[in-house]
Amino acid sequence: MDMMLQLQGVTKQFGNLEVIRGVDLDIAPGERHAIIGPNGAGKTTLTNLITSRFPPSSGKLLFQGRDITGMAPHKLVRLGIGRSFQIINTFREMTIYENLRNATLARRPTRSSARRGVEGLADAREQAERIMERIGLSHARDRLAGHLPYGEQRVLEIGLVLACDPRLIILDEPAAGLSAAETRHVTALIDEVTQGKTLILIEHDMDVVFSLSNRISVLHYGRILAQGSPEEIRGNEEVKAVYLGYRDDN
C-alpha cells in the first residue's frame, strides 16, 4: 500500500539540543494516528517538521510518495495537508464567514484569469456556507471570530482546516482548554468531519485519543517509544511507566 505520509530518519536539533531523534513513521491513507507523549517529548516539534514550519536537521518526509522535505508551508496546503494549532489561530477581526471563505481561497492557485477568479470566489462563498453548517456555526455567521466563546473558536479552527479541503488533517491538541462537555462535542465533530480523511492527532486527553485513533505512536525524548493499536498501547508496560503514570507489578 502507498503511504499517505512517511518520515524516514527525521531528526531536529536546536543548537546542541536534539529534540527529534531519528523518527521513522508510516501513516496509511484513511488512518487515524495519534501521537502522544509527556510534555517536552517533541510532539509539537514533530508536527512543525511535517508542516515545514521547521526544516529537519536530517532525514526525509514523503507525502503520497512525493518528497516534501523543506517544502514551503503554503505549497503543502495546496498539496492537501491541513493543520490546526495548539494556540487558536484564527483571524480575530474577521467574521466566521470571512475566516472560512479566505481559508478556502488560500488553497487555490494564485494565478488565474478574471473569469476563473470570479467563479472561484463564488465557489469559495458556497463552500464557506457549507462548512459553517457542517461545524454548527451558521447561527454566528457574521460574528467576529475574536468575540466567540473559546469552545466555538476551537470549532472554527477545525472548520478552517476543512476549508482547505485537505487529504491529511493534523490537529494539534484540539481539546486544549475545553470543558468536559465541550471536549465531548469537539471529539464527536472531529469524528464526523474526518471520515474518509487521514488524521494525525496530537492530544493529551487520553479519552479523546482512544475515541478517535486506530493507531498510536508514543513519543519519548524525541524517539518513538512504542506504536500500535489503542489496545496495545493501553497494555504496554513501558508506556504505562513513562506516560500513563503507572506500571503493573503482577
Side-chain angles (χ1 to χ4, degrees):
M1 177 192 295
D2 291 334
M3 292 292 117
M4 178 65 71
L5 182 72
Q6 293 174 283
L7 277 64
Q8 300 176 348
V10 170
T11 69
K12 182 60 184 178
Q13 288 184 240
F14 296 98
N16 294 325
L17 178 63
E18 191 175 29
V19 178
I20 300 297
R21 308 178 180 189
V23 167
D24 295 309
L25 185 62
D26 290 342
I27 296 178
E31 186 172 315
R32 292 168 170 237
H33 196 114
I35 299 174
I36 66 172
N39 288 330
K43 302 182 298 296
T44 295
T45 299
L46 189 64
T47 306
N48 285 332
L49 292 172
I50 294 170
T51 54
S52 278
R53 290 179 70 82
F54 303 144
S57 299
S58 62
K60 184 183 291 189
L61 296 95
L62 304 173
F63 178 65
Q64 295 188 308
R66 177 175 179 174
D67 191 341
I68 60 167
T69 311
M71 186 177 287
H74 72 276
K75 292 184 178 179
L76 296 183
V77 171
R78 289 178 184 153
L79 281 180
I81 299 176
R83 181 219 175 143
S84 75
F85 291 84
Q86 221 173 341
I87 299 170
I88 289 174
N89 193 37
T90 62
F91 293 101
R92 295 177 56 82
E93 298 305 316
M94 290 184 182
T95 66
I96 291 173
Y97 165 75
E98 289 168 339
N99 266 272
L100 292 170
R101 181 199 60 195
N102 291 349
T104 300
L105 289 169
R107 173 113 196 257
R108 299 172 185 276
T110 54
R111 295 182 180 180
S112 63
S113 66
R115 179 179 175 182
R116 286 185 178 177
V118 171
E119 290 173 349
L121 184 57
D123 184 59
R125 289 169 180 159
E126 291 175 6
Q127 187 170 346
E129 299 284 0
R130 286 196 300 270
I131 293 170
M132 264 191 301
E133 183 174 354
R134 192 174 185 191
I135 63 177
L137 290 181
S138 294
H139 67 282
R141 180 188 190 282
D142 297 318
R143 288 189 66 182
L144 296 180
H147 292 179
L148 292 174
Y150 182 80
E152 290 190 344
Q153 290 187 45
R154 281 284 177 196
V155 169
L156 174 57
E157 191 169 36
I158 293 169
L160 294 178
V161 177
L162 295 176
C164 295
D165 194 24
R167 284 169 273 181
L168 171 62
I169 294 174
I170 304 170
L171 300 180
D172 191 354
E173 297 200 34
L178 298 181
S179 68
E182 288 170 334
T183 296
R184 288 192 295 270
H185 172 69
V186 166
T187 301
L189 176 66
I190 293 169
D191 188 32
E192 177 192 341
V193 300
T194 59
Q195 292 295 325
K197 306 278 189 180
T198 306
L199 173 66
I200 296 177
L201 177 69
I202 315 295
E203 183 55 65
H204 280 292
D205 189 319
M206 296 309 296
D207 288 337
V208 176
V209 169
F210 289 134
S211 294
L212 291 174
S213 62
N214 53 32
R215 195 156 162 255
I216 299 172
S217 291
V218 183
L219 199 64
H220 187 53
Y221 290 120
R223 298 185 187 277
I224 300 290
L225 172 70
Q227 196 172 83
S229 68
E231 294 74 21
E232 290 169 331
I233 294 302
R234 274 195 185 104
N236 186 299
E237 294 299 319
E238 198 170 8
V239 173
K240 291 177 185 179
V242 304
Y243 182 54
L244 300 181
Y246 61 91
R247 181 190 294 272
D248 290 337
D249 294 323
N250 298 324

